[in-house]
């Protein structure tokens, strides 16, 4: 009869549960997979499958009692590590949402909002359009595979139980300013062109005061704004590649992957 000790059972459970919580936390938070469009049950199945695939190549896990206080603390650390890695990707995606919000407000389309099915919040239509566009580009260029590769290597560079250093949390906080800067950089050409249009309407109002600028200014600004956005789509791929490269490199630095 096969006899197993509590230490052996705890070691086996820990070798599966600790990686599972890091992987599941990443899948619950990261864009595309971690949205409301993907059911929680499907995300859990993906986390279980990914853990089973990685288990044979993962480094040896610490032998702990999975139900002890130390075990719960280590589980909390793994959830935090996975959630922060996924949140760093969310910042990259929301840079495009911020750009869409800025352009929409400048062209008078800020009132046109819709419910984002991925996050369950109301956003500007232009921001939702850019979010869907960057999602398709992210999947088409295998960005999700790069994320899974970084996650697998993070078990070597950030062993289970090591957690994240204070520098990592400060880097996450500093990255919030990067989102606003990247969004402004994306929206700057369209905002500048719309500013020139608004200045032209101001000159027209001074030259012809009897002209009802509100009757023709708003629809014309809206149409010209859509034309400017359409022309700006010619350069969106190069902008996406630069920001995606920077975001994925920062993700590797956060996980200390070289």
């Amino acid at each position: 009869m096969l006899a197993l000790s509590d230490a052996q059972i705890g070691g086996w459970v820990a070798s599966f549960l600790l990686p599972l919580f890091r992987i599941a936390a990443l899948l619950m938070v990261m864009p595309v997979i971690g949205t409301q469009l993907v059911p929680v049950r499907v995300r859990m199945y993906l986390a279980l499958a990914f853990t089973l695939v990685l288990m044979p190549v993962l480094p040896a896990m610490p032998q702990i009692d999975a139900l002890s206080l130390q075990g719960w603390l280590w589980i909390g650390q793994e959830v935090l590590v996975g959630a922060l890695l996924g949140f760093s990707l969310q910042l990259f995606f929301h840079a495009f949402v911020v750009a869409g919000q800025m352009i929409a407000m400048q062209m008078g389309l800020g009132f046109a909002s819709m419910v984002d099915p991925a996050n369950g919040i109301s956003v500007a239509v232009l921001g939702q359009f850019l979010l869907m566009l960057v999602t398709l580009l992210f999947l088409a260029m295998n960005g999700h595979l790069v994320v899974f590769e970084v996650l697998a290597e993070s078990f070597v560079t950030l062993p289970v139980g090591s957690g994240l250093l204070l520098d990592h949390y400060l880097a996450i906080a500093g990255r919030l300013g990067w989102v606003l800067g990247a969004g402004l950089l994306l929206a700057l050409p369209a905002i500048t062109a719309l500013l020139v249009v608004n200045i032209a309407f101001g000159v027209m109002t001074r030259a012809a005061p009897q002209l009802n600028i509100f009757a023709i200014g708003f629809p014309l600004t809206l149409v010209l704004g859509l034309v400017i956005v359409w022309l700006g789509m010619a350069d969106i791929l190069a902008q996406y590649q630069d920001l995606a490269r920077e975001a994925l490199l920062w993700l590797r630095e956060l996980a200390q992957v070289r």
Side-chain angles (χ1 to χ4, degrees):
M1 181 177 180
L2 180 62
L4 298 175
S5 63
D6 293 340
Q8 289 176 319
I9 296 176
W12 290 349
V13 172
S15 64
F16 178 76
L17 283 182
L18 293 177
L20 174 64
F21 278 104
R22 181 184 296 192
I23 295 171
L26 175 70
L27 295 181
M28 293 295 176
V29 177
M30 70 174 291
V32 184
I33 299 177
T35 62
Q36 296 182 4
L37 298 176
V38 181
V40 178
R41 184 176 299 178
V42 174
R43 282 178 267 173
M44 285 304 302
Y45 288 155
L46 289 175
L48 288 171
F50 199 61
T51 304
L52 290 174
V53 172
L54 281 182
M55 277 186 63
V57 297
L58 291 179
M61 296 296 160
Q63 299 294 321
I64 62 170
D65 185 3
L67 299 179
S68 64
L69 178 60
Q70 184 185 14
W72 286 107
L73 290 176
W74 283 14
I75 287 174
Q77 284 184 350
E78 294 307 303
V79 171
L80 188 59
V81 170
L84 287 179
L85 292 178
F87 181 71
S88 64
L89 287 174
Q90 287 283 2
L91 296 179
F92 162 64
F93 275 69
H94 279 79
F96 289 86
V97 178
V98 171
Q101 295 275 7
M102 291 180 180
I103 298 174
M105 293 297 295
Q106 186 70 21
M107 64 187 291
L109 200 61
F111 67 91
S113 60
M114 62 177 294
V115 177
D116 182 7
N119 300 309
I121 59 176
S122 180
V123 298
V125 174
L126 189 56
Q128 180 66 14
F129 168 73
L130 291 179
L131 179 60
M132 291 189 295
L133 180 62
V134 72
T135 300
L136 294 175
L137 289 174
F138 186 76
L139 294 175
M141 297 186 177
N142 294 327
H144 57 296
L145 299 182
V146 177
V147 175
F148 292 151
E149 179 186 0
V150 173
L151 176 62
E153 295 180 8
S154 70
F155 287 100
V156 179
T157 57
L158 292 175
V160 172
S162 63
L164 290 175
L165 301 176
L166 179 61
D167 295 342
H168 295 90
Y169 301 105
L170 294 178
I172 287 286
R175 208 63 175 179
L176 297 176
W178 176 85
V179 174
L180 296 177
L184 181 60
L185 184 63
L186 290 169
L188 191 59
I191 291 177
T192 304
L194 290 170
L195 180 61
V196 173
V197 173
N198 291 329
I199 292 175
F201 283 131
V203 174
M204 292 171 57
T205 304
R206 295 290 295 178
Q210 69 277 10
L211 183 65
N212 188 355
I213 197 64
F214 294 102
I216 64 172
F218 178 74
L220 192 57
T221 303
L222 188 59
V223 171
L224 291 176
L226 293 175
V227 172
I228 292 170
V229 171
W230 174 61
L231 294 175
M233 287 296 104
D235 195 43
I236 192 66
L237 181 59
Q239 294 175 330
Y240 166 81
Q241 288 176 338
D242 293 338
L243 292 178
R245 185 183 302 108
E246 184 177 354
L248 292 176
L249 286 176
W250 184 70
L251 177 65
R252 298 181 71 90
E253 292 176 2
L254 188 64
Q256 298 181 359
V257 175
R258 297 292 181 263

